Amino acid sequence: MGEVFVLVVRWADGGGQKNDTGWGKRPFPFKNLDISILPCYNATGCIKRQGLIQIMTDKPVRTIADIAELAGVSKSTVSRALSNSPLISEETRERIQAIAQAHQYQINQPARRLSMQQTNTIAFITHGYHKEFSVEDLFFMEMLGAITSALSQKNYDLLLVHVDPYKTDWVHDYLNTGKVDGIILMTSTHKSQHVQKLIEVQAPFIAWGVPVTGANYCTVTGDNLTGSRLATEHLLELGRRKIAFLGGPEKDRETQLRYEGFANALIAAGLQPDPNCVVHGWFSRSCGIEGMNQLLDKEPNIDAVFCNSDFLAMGAIDVIRERGKRVPQDISVVGYDDISLAQYSNPPLTTVRQNINESGRLLVNNLIQYLETGIVTNVSVPVKLVVRESTMPG
Amino acid sequence: MGEVFVLVVRWADGGGQKNDTGWGKRPFPFKNLDISILPCYNATGCIKRQGLIQIMTDKPVRTIADIAELAGVSKSTVSRALSNSPLISEETRERIQAIAQAHQYQINQPARRLSMQQTNTIAFITHGYHKEFSVEDLFFMEMLGAITSALSQKNYDLLLVHVDPYKTDWVHDYLNTGKVDGIILMTSTHKSQHVQKLIEVQAPFIAWGVPVTGANYCTVTGDNLTGSRLATEHLLELGRRKIAFLGGPEKDRETQLRYEGFANALIAAGLQPDPNCVVHGWFSRSCGIEGMNQLLDKEPNIDAVFCNSDFLAMGAIDVIRERGKRVPQDISVVGYDDISLAQYSNPPLTTVRQNINESGRLLVNNLIQYLETGIVTNVSVPVKLVVRESTMPG
DNA sequence: ACAAGTCGTGCAACCGGTTGCAGGGTTATT
DNA sequence: AATAACCCTGCAACCGGTTGCACGACTTGT
């Protein structure tokens, strides 16, 4: 350490009893120094006072202890100053923050997380229909984008976790490990197993979709009942009478609600839902192809079809055309979700728009609210019918 | 703590000098107990010996100190046993691991990360063309899927970071904060600024794309030269002679290389690239529309177009048809990337397939290799021409 | 029997933050 | 002038792991 210096600091605005604060009372530990005067800003960003001593040594500043040494204060004071604790005087706080900034100090997150038992990170759990992501996962992708935006506004990070839909052992890697504070669950297949497991281990999570009845956990979902009603009423208004339902999995709650809204709209118009005009499958394009073929085999004179996803609709349109009919002249097609691809489809799809941005925002905000307060929310986000050429000639 | 018990343990395989090991030598700290015999497994999964005492108390087991107390050993021993250190005897290791498993112990990651100065997490940096993800980001999405898979095989987590393409201040949030060990950079617009910044601050990163000449950092890219050559040769073999180039940004290295491969193929066939048949823009569908209109305005008798992305190709096809020409009969169209959407396009796209899975794997493995060894790699991943109906009548 | 070597374990420091509590200095009160 | 109140700041413990080093027990060699 070589010789010991004592540095007496005299503030530029001098006078009074503060003449020898700061370094004045401590032995000075460094040798090679640059000393420069830094302006000191107040809350409004104006220069309030000149007089900060910035000490630049060859020793890198990585920890609050380093800053404490430079500023001649204790670790606690630095910690408090950097987190804007009201315990610290404005003067000290500004000085310490200026030093931190001058040395490009970055807080060590693992240390902070260990100490605070909080990570400001959430896990987004999903899986592809296939091993990798593909266009069929577009809805998830768009939701992921919305969630990422919402999280960054809240100063949270997002850990992306790709899971095997058949296994729930991923839970142990992210629960009680301090990797994340909470979980956003968004898997379409086998969702119930994952939800079950999360409830079982009392994980802090929120799920996309209709809540399992009786269970008490946070959810956000689109308004399926209204969405399907709007779509069906639109088709009825166009004069369609033989309307088919090309649905998702039969045991899927969303699908059940969409069927309910569909059937209600038919009944309200004095029609009866025809079992021959209903098929179920996944939400994929290939199931759209398969399902539409089944429907037309059973009921060749269908004049409209309400599909539970945009991909189902695209598959259906291909089948309809292959079979020599026209969309929308012979058969009107409505999709669901309004993924960004829907408008580029041929013809552009009439579809029920899920409010993806709002849903992502709610997933984030309600999860964080749950983490902070324990309040369980179940939200249904409004949807909107977007009319394009797949139901009405352009 | 109440009374003090001394529990003498006699192993089930008894005898010898080991009769009173384990708890035998220590005062016993608990009151409410369930004591049960657990089988103890050896490395091959067979029961090796019965005789482990499992102690279940009302006190939850959350830390290695808890396990240490239960096992009657020190924290160090537990830490070493759980990480399979060779310093620990097989017997002790098995006993401790069994206790940990029985109590569903999960290691505290922030503590481990703080201690080891390593997080086993990498950041994936990207941005949407738009504020949110949309179908136009599909290439990124598919790459993200491949990277996620590769990372989970390496036992790494992925932090998804959405950045403003015009700003590089995100760097400070993830560098020297202990949030991540390394960065995978994958932004298409303004990539060079981000690369520049990362080099400047000496960040451990790998980037998708051709390396800036002179700079020394890890990269993975598709083989642009070969890709564009294959595409062009394919069009030439079909007898096309007036081939247009619908490119990405003119200053983009990938685009430059693709132009080079394109021009070389033309020259090798005895043709000259025609400046009137070249336009540049972004990789988006809307730029495809704009660019194709420009091309046809300047050269109405174009008979093929090589597009630098699948979205450019889709936009181009729409324009060609709108202008009363047919694809592929009048104009053959080739895309680039082979995103999963390309095969569903109308007509299905002939395109240059980027090996996304392999590229993702390389991004991950080479980054980790760099982190461990400092070895800088620059890889070019082979591409492949996929012929579909947009160039040849079906 | 004793010295050297090996093996397994414990001690204590360390990673870099946060925070309850104590206490010194200054100002307000009587 | 003495006392109380208040405002800052420092001390030290704590979060939950990892690891260098010391040391005791047991094995081996002579």
Side-chain angles (χ1 to χ4, degrees), chain B residues 64 75 79-80 105 115:
Chain B
I64 56 171
K75 270 171 63 179
S79 172
R80 292 187 175 112
Y105 167 76
S115 183

Side-chain angles (χ1 to χ4, degrees), chain B residues 135-338:
Chain B
V135 65
E136 305 241 8
D137 301 302
L138 198 52
F139 183 66
F140 293 78
M141 298 293 92
E142 295 186 5
M143 190 65 90
L144 177 57
I147 288 172
T148 309
S149 296
L151 279 172
S152 68
Q153 278 181 20
K154 289 266 181 179
N155 250 315
Y156 268 70
D157 283 316
L158 182 141
L159 207 62
L160 182 63
V161 184
H162 218 175
V163 303
D164 181 335
Y166 299 99
K167 293 184 188 160
T168 57
D169 51 2
W170 59 268
V171 168
H172 300 295
D173 285 342
Y174 298 94
L175 198 70
N176 299 328
T177 60
K179 280 186 178 179
V180 298
D181 296 333
I183 291 169
I184 296 179
L185 181 69
M186 188 153 180
T187 68
S188 72
T189 60
H190 304 270
K191 185 169 61 192
S192 57
Q193 280 100 312
H194 292 110
V195 167
Q196 211 58 52
K197 177 78 175 183
L198 288 171
I199 291 173
E200 189 186 313
V201 300
Q202 303 184 44
F205 76 105
I206 193 167
W208 168 256
V210 182
V212 176
T213 46
N216 187 41
Y217 63 99
C218 291
T219 58
V220 174
T221 179
D223 184 347
N224 295 291
L225 219 47
T226 305
S228 54
R229 184 175 56 76
L230 290 175
T232 313
E233 285 173 358
H234 168 67
L235 292 170
L236 289 166
E237 277 162 23
L238 290 171
R240 307 293 173 166
R241 283 297 172 269
K242 197 77 186 167
I243 305 176
F245 181 87
L246 185 42
E250 201 164 356
K251 58 182 170 45
D252 180 60
R253 276 299 286 152
E254 277 76 25
T255 301
Q256 291 167 6
L257 287 169
R258 288 179 197 173
Y259 180 77
E260 205 177 316
F262 165 78
N264 290 348
L266 288 186
I267 292 166
L271 299 174
Q272 279 302 317
D274 174 358
N276 272 342
C277 288
V278 176
V279 294
H280 290 281
W282 295 113
F283 294 102
S284 67
R285 178 198 183 86
S286 61
C287 286
I289 291 173
E290 196 186 316
M292 195 67 216
N293 271 318
Q294 285 176 25
L295 286 171
L296 287 174
D297 287 347
K298 289 191 285 188
E299 287 288 345
N301 53 341
I302 283 169
D303 59 8
V305 55
F306 167 52
C307 307
N308 273 198
S309 82
D310 291 334
F311 288 107
L312 281 171
M314 292 176 206
I317 288 174
D318 284 353
V319 169
I320 293 169
R321 285 178 168 161
E322 237 165 53
R323 289 184 165 225
K325 301 202 174 186
R326 295 163 303 163
V327 177
Q329 292 85 345
D330 301 319
I331 302 184
S332 286
V333 178
V334 180
Y336 209 102
D337 291 342
D338 194 26

